[in-house]
Amino acid sequence: MLRVAVVGSGPSGVFTAQALVQQQSVPGVTVDVLDRLPCPYGLVRYGVAPDHEKIKSLQNTLRTALEHPGVTFLGNVRVGEEPGALAPRRLLELYHAVVYCVGAAADRRLGIPGEDLPGSFSATEFVSWYSAHPDAAPGGFVLGARSAVVIGVGNVAVDVARLLARGADELRPTDVPDAALAALAESRVADVHVVGRRGPAQAKFTTKELRELGGLTGVQALVRGEEAALDPAWADPSALPSAVRRNVEVLRGWAGQPKQEHERRIRLRFFLRPVALLGDGAVEAVRFERTEPDGHGGVAGTGRFEEIGAQLVLRSVGYRGVPVPGLPFDAQNGTVPHVQGRVLRDGAPAPGEYVAGWIKRGPTGVIGTNRPCAKETVASLLADAEALLARRPSGDAQAALRAAGQEPVEWPGWLGIEAAEAALGQRLGRGTVKIPDWAGLLAAARNGR
């Protein structure tokens, strides 16, 4: 019987576990899915916006895989080199193989003066707050802010702009935590500026998410036509790939509109590169340099500058993998070095160690991209099965965890969290409401167990 540990219960980890137990070439595979959090589903639970119910429903697919009799979920498990954690070398003693699916947990920085001023946050910090991630800092993001700048033009930037502009009454039916809902209800943010350094044809959002900005109640989406027209494709987008063309067409429809009497405005800005965050003790404005196309697909600075007043800045310029203590790491790419999912140590495949997801390929693609990525890694693991089975694991993983002082949350514990969140929502007169703190999650898990 082949025993495999999968570290990470987001889409890449669950798709890996699913591929392992559904394959036919190696009978009797069992998979333990380990996660640092007591809750499964990774970014589907803690990254998808609360008003995107269709995407969040992917949890049902992931649930089916985690409820497979050959799969065991073990949450609240720390893997690494710190005291009490299970080190990678120890995992290899407990399992025939270990697949790391730990994502890309760090945000890319702007590297400009003032980036760490109070009022400046990564978009991930904001997302974690409204998604009730137990590591999230307490609220206060929107308190007192009248203008917000979101730096970046991808789907995460669109998500945070939409949540800033959306009315609290529209978010009440979602699972957004109660403290975040209360803060958003009191928000005075009237202008949300979504700013990119290149043009509309280079923006990374998808058309569906972009269109949502124009359909929000009491919100007007605005584009400066003269600014967007610096993009050579603006006047005639017909030659663009279809997805990009649709984006440009949506933006063209918002360009040149007169400002109307709306409660809030989302202003999409282009060809502006941030050079500094300004403020005396807290963010008060962002200084941008005007850019222009350089003729080679990039942009060049013009030496002309503009300041946008803001008391809240959210940086959404990408993610980056962080090292897993005990594993090799490619600092330049933010990934674990590998060949077809096999971890490389000193240039050679390390027996029994594999990667899948963003820590394998970098933060690219959509949720579904993780499925073929996981299947490639599983194919490599199964090809190595004969050699892996020649080594006998020693010891029981759950016993080893408890000996290290860890308290794993198994599937009944997670069901206890789900029940507690449903009960919390009922008490608040809402639907399911997420529990936002470690103590509450672990108490609910113990009750469920």
Side-chain angles (χ1 to χ4, degrees), residues 17-350:
Q18 185 178 51
L20 281 164
V21 295
Q22 288 182 344
Q23 56 77 38
Q24 302 295 321
S25 60
V26 180
V29 176
T30 62
V31 183
D32 286 355
V33 178
L34 317 179
D35 202 292
R36 185 180 68 87
L37 297 172
C39 309
Y41 310 139
L43 282 180
V44 177
R45 176 175 167 91
Y46 289 119
V48 174
D51 57 345
H52 274 176
E53 291 297 331
K54 185 174 181 180
I55 302 175
K56 288 172 73 68
S57 68
L58 177 62
Q59 289 187 16
N60 296 328
T61 301
L62 303 181
R63 172 190 290 272
T64 299
L66 289 173
E67 288 180 334
H68 187 282
V71 177
T72 299
F73 172 73
L74 296 173
N76 194 37
V77 170
R78 290 177 292 114
V79 173
E81 299 287 354
E82 70 270 18
L86 282 186
R89 62 183 180 278
R90 178 63 176 135
L91 281 176
L92 275 179
E93 295 172 356
L94 296 166
Y95 296 93
H96 291 104
V98 183
V99 187
Y100 293 90
C101 306
V102 294
D107 295 276
R108 293 187 181 275
R109 292 179 60 83
L110 298 172
I112 61 176
E115 185 169 6
D116 294 318
L117 278 170
S120 168
F121 304 93
S122 71
T124 299
E125 291 175 285
F126 186 64
V127 171
S128 294
W129 172 66
Y130 68 59
S131 297
H133 194 292
D135 290 339
F141 291 90
V142 297
L143 298 180
R146 301 173 304 282
S147 174
V149 167
V150 181
I151 299 173
V153 283
N155 277 346
V156 175
V158 169
D159 276 350
V160 299
R162 189 181 68 256
L163 266 290
L164 282 169
R166 176 153 248 169
D169 286 343
E170 295 177 285
L171 293 173
R172 192 172 302 280
T174 74
D175 61 6
V176 67
D178 215 45
L181 182 67
L184 290 168
E186 296 175 10
S187 171
R188 297 165 52 201
V189 173
D191 288 282
V192 182
H193 308 262
V194 182
V195 187
R197 63 185 178 88
R198 297 196 291 173
Q202 289 78 47
K204 299 299 184 183
F205 34 63
T206 53
T207 308
K208 178 181 180 295
E209 278 68 26
L210 177 63
R211 283 186 176 132
E212 287 180 324
L213 298 183
L216 301 177
T217 302
V219 179
Q220 184 179 20
L222 296 167
V223 174
R224 294 189 182 185
E226 72 280 6
E227 181 177 82
L230 292 171
D231 191 323
W234 180 253
D236 180 12
S238 60
L240 293 171
S242 58
V244 180
R245 184 184 71 249
R246 289 192 295 269
N247 282 347
V248 174
E249 289 170 348
V250 170
L251 293 166
R252 279 162 53 96
W254 296 340
Q257 294 185 91
K259 179 181 173 182
Q260 300 172 9
E261 290 301 320
H262 282 77
E263 181 184 352
R264 288 171 177 160
R265 293 159 295 278
I266 298 176
R267 305 175 184 272
L268 291 108
R269 304 291 308 276
F270 298 97
F271 293 108
L272 292 171
R273 176 168 59 201
V275 294
L277 272 59
L278 310 175
D280 183 10
V283 169
E284 298 172 7
V286 185
R287 177 176 291 157
F288 293 93
E289 181 181 17
R290 168 68 61 191
T291 62
E292 61 185 8
D294 63 5
H296 304 288
V299 292
T302 64
R304 302 193 306 274
F305 297 88
E306 175 180 338
E307 292 180 10
I308 298 177
Q311 299 77 43
L312 172 64
V313 176
L314 299 174
R315 312 178 305 272
S316 181
V317 292
Y319 299 95
R320 183 174 179 80
V322 297
V324 177
L327 283 185
F329 189 70
D330 181 343
Q332 182 174 352
N333 296 315
T335 57
V336 171
H338 72 95
V339 172
Q340 295 181 316
R342 296 180 177 93
V343 172
L344 298 177
R345 290 185 182 270
D346 299 321

Side-chain angles (χ1 to χ4, degrees), residues 410-424:
E410 300 177 59
W411 194 250
W414 160 240
L415 296 181
I417 292 172
E418 283 193 317
E421 292 183 335
L424 173 61

